[in-house]
Amino acid sequence: MTINWPLEVVKAVLAAVIVFTFLAVIGAMLGVLLERKIGGWIQSRLGPKHVGRQGLLQTVADTIKLLQKEHITPHAADVAIFNTAPLIVAVAGLLDWIVIPFAPGLIVRDLNIGVLFFAAMASLTVVGILAGGFASNNKYALLGGLRSASQMISYELPLAAALIAVAMEAGTLSTVSIVEAQARQGWFVIWQFPAFVIFMIAATAEVNRVPFDLPEAESELVAGYFSEYTGMRFALFQLGEYAEMFAMAALATTLFLGGWKGPILPPLVWFFIKMYAIVFFLMWMRWTYPRLRLDQLLNLSWKLLLPAGLVWILITGYRITF
Amino acid sequence: MGELAAFIILSAIALVSAVVVVTSGNIVRSALSLVPTFLGVTGLYILLQAEFVAGIQVLIYAGAITVLILFVIMLTEGGTGLRVRQVNEQVAAGLLATVVLAGLLIGVFLRTDWPRGPGALPQYTAEAIGRTFLTTAVLIFEVTSLLLLVSLIGAIIVARRER
């Protein structure tokens, strides 16, 4: 097997630039705007309204503001780790997208361990969050980082259980093959409904969103692990978080909602319709439910979701064997 | 050519960060340096076309074990983990042991006849690994699971006694 290495490197750089731009514009900027508009709508207020038509340019203005801000490094911070942490979070969020199939052929790389790769990259985020929380040398940041670590480690297991059940049903770990298996067997949201529920709850917890936003609970911890970050470094954390959230929505679309398949409309349009439906669902949850307590959060994962996931793996195994 | 370059870059990443792990005076930096070490080794696995092992390596080692180590450091009472000495006075004895061990290992590496299997790798290694776990390697698999279960229960008992 000969590989054209220079070509592969150029392709990798191009793919990274395209995915990053896509995430920064579609994920973070549009995502924040949607978040605020939907939040306003749910809470009977208007949301951003002044910059641009109906506040459409609000997040563009915010991004430009963040780009111009000063980088502040706290006096007692561990500078090397402090500066690296946002990069880890952003890059881990970016790498998730390698295995997401947007349309037939429109995927960075169809790995044969796709789902496993996704879980592995998603698990790297927590290193960045914990490092940022520690390096800030601030008790609230450290508390946020520790909360985040215990939360993300706990919810990785139910998430993995849901992924395993889907992989068993489809008989493959490749995301493209899972989409094709659903074209034959019907959407997995029907056959794998418990896995879908477990996945959605665990995914919400993995991306630290309300009702699982303890790592950055602003009423208790100022802003949690990124309290000390300013300007573009703060924006990188935010970008990583939104990239991760959109990646979870995209993976839910791929694994449970039939991916790009759908009648009449082009595949890419179907993919985005389904992905934004999941994103809307996540935002709806955020503005509806109150935050859990830390013990409730851990109990939910270890005493409910994980056993349910294991039982469901057993049932799926029984079903596909007999 | 490209493969060689990739090998050298990945090995350099793994080795340099491994040196930081064993020399840094800041225990958190040591723990965080484990991440690039693990990722470098992951890259080597991918070069060997063992992509399933590579995925597991990132998921378990870089994503979970490192976080566990960091967690333990940050929850341990007493000491900030800064300015920790990683060497003691017995430098000469340590050096001797290292040289002997390195000599032994290099000798073994040079004498071993590395077999090159004629068959191609299976297209889908995850399935092959799963099959091996449940057929030929089932005893090892089960004993390992039992061992993990025992240590899990042990950890719970140790943690409970403190109350």
Side-chain angles (χ1 to χ4, degrees):
Chain A
M1 185 174 63
T2 52
I3 303 170
N4 189 345
W5 286 83
L7 184 72
E8 288 299 316
V9 170
V10 170
K11 267 160 78 181
V13 171
L14 272 180
V17 169
I18 291 169
V19 172
F20 188 83
T21 315
F22 163 80
L23 285 178
V25 176
I26 302 285
M29 276 156 85
L30 196 67
V32 173
L33 185 72
L34 266 179
E35 183 98 60
R36 295 179 64 182
K37 276 290 182 191
I38 291 170
W41 177 54
I42 287 175
Q43 299 183 332
S44 301
R45 48 186 179 81
L46 291 171
K49 192 98 172 110
H50 290 292
V51 186
R53 202 180 176 84
Q54 294 295 316
L56 275 176
L57 295 177
Q58 180 66 52
T59 44
V60 180
D62 286 346
T63 311
I64 294 168
K65 181 191 76 180
L66 281 173
L67 278 169
Q68 295 170 329
K69 278 204 169 178
E70 184 192 355
H71 290 302
I72 299 171
T73 309
H75 182 64
D78 190 327
V79 180
I81 303 178
F82 186 80
N83 291 343
T84 321
L87 287 176
I88 301 175
V89 174
V91 170
L94 197 70
L95 284 171
D96 286 343
W97 288 86
I98 287 180
V99 292
I100 301 292
F102 294 92
L106 200 59
I107 175 172
V108 178
R109 178 136 299 178
D110 177 22
L111 300 174
N112 59 6
I113 51 155
V115 175
L116 176 70
F117 178 85
F118 186 94
M121 292 307 136
S123 76
L124 281 182
T125 314
V126 64
V127 177
I129 290 179
L130 199 51
F134 167 79
S136 302
N137 217 334
N138 169 327
K139 57 189 168 192
Y140 297 117
L142 182 61
L143 270 177
L146 284 178
R147 281 185 181 187
S148 167
S150 60
Q151 171 175 335
M152 291 175 82
I153 290 272
S154 308
Y155 278 86
E156 244 164 49
L157 297 169
L159 190 82
L163 295 181
I164 288 170
V166 172
M168 283 165 76
E169 183 88 38
T172 172
L173 286 169
S174 145
T175 43
V176 173
S177 308
I178 288 176
V179 171
E180 275 153 10
Q182 288 178 81
R184 290 192 303 272
Q185 303 171 22
W187 288 9
F188 285 164
V189 69
I190 303 163
W191 306 116
Q192 289 283 334
F193 187 71
F196 177 66
V197 174
I198 293 169
F199 179 85
M200 286 312 294
I201 296 175
T204 317
E206 275 287 292
V207 296
N208 296 325
R209 288 179 62 80
V210 182
F212 306 104
D213 71 330
L214 286 102
E216 49 194 85
E218 62 276 10
S219 45
E220 308 163 21
L221 297 179
V222 191
Y225 56 87
F226 53 67
S227 295
E228 299 286 359
Y229 284 88
T230 54
M232 218 40 220
R233 296 205 188 107
F234 164 76
L236 275 178
F237 267 125
Q238 206 73 347
L239 176 75
E241 194 175 307
Y242 273 87
E244 190 94 8
M245 178 180 98
F246 273 73
M248 287 291 179
L251 190 72
T253 307
T254 308
L255 298 187
F256 296 103
L257 300 182
W260 69 75
K261 305 261 187 198
I264 307 168
L265 293 172
L268 198 61
V269 176
W270 268 115
F271 181 84
F272 279 113
I273 289 175
K274 290 169 181 174
M275 189 181 89
Y276 273 103
I278 301 264
V279 168
F280 174 76
F281 177 75
L282 288 172
M283 290 181 175
W284 184 12
M285 289 226 294
R286 166 167 180 179
W287 295 98
T288 310
Y289 286 109
R291 180 182 304 136
L292 272 81
R293 247 184 9 235
L294 189 61
D295 60 323
Q296 294 170 332
L297 177 105
L298 294 179
N299 277 347
L300 177 67
S301 168
W302 291 102
K303 293 187 181 165
L304 192 71
L305 287 182
L306 185 60
L310 292 176
V311 169
W312 182 246
I313 287 178
L314 208 64
I315 295 172
T316 309
Y318 184 81
R319 251 188 40 232
I320 58 176
T321 320
F322 300 107
Chain B
M1 184 59 213
E3 228 158 277
L4 184 68
F7 177 77
I8 291 170
I9 293 169
L10 288 167
S11 312
I13 292 170
L15 288 175
V16 169
S17 39
V19 168
V20 175
V21 173
V22 292
T23 54
S24 172
N26 181 336
I27 201 166
V28 175
R29 283 197 182 175
S30 289
L32 281 174
S33 300
L34 280 173
V35 177
T37 314
F38 288 144
L39 292 183
V41 175
T42 308
L44 295 181
Y45 284 149
I46 293 171
L47 276 184
L48 294 170
Q49 299 178 23
E51 64 276 343
F52 185 77
V53 183
I56 294 291
Q57 167 90 3
V58 177
L59 185 66
I60 305 293
Y61 282 89
I65 300 276
T66 316
V67 174
L68 204 68
I69 292 173
L70 285 171
F71 212 72
V72 169
I73 293 169
M74 291 181 192
L75 288 182
T76 312
E77 277 181 70
T80 51
L82 300 175
R83 288 178 293 281
V84 180
R85 282 184 67 204
Q86 293 212 24
V87 286
N88 58 14
E89 281 76 24
Q90 299 177 327
V91 177
L95 205 64
L96 188 70
T98 318
V99 169
V100 170
L101 183 67
L104 270 174
L105 283 176
I106 291 170
V108 169
F109 284 146
L110 290 179
R111 283 164 140 266
T112 309
D113 176 31
W114 299 98
R116 286 197 168 190
L121 275 170
Q123 197 64 47
Y124 193 51
T125 46
E127 193 181 336
I129 289 172
R131 270 187 202 288
T132 318
F133 269 155
L134 293 178
T135 50
T136 46
V138 69
L139 183 68
I140 301 167
F141 180 61
E142 291 294 333
V143 169
T144 314
S145 315
L146 198 69
L147 193 71
L148 286 175
L149 186 67
V150 168
S151 48
L152 197 69
I153 295 170
I156 292 170
I157 290 171
V158 170
R160 283 229 145 182
R161 200 173 288 161
E162 286 179 5
R163 297 245 173 97

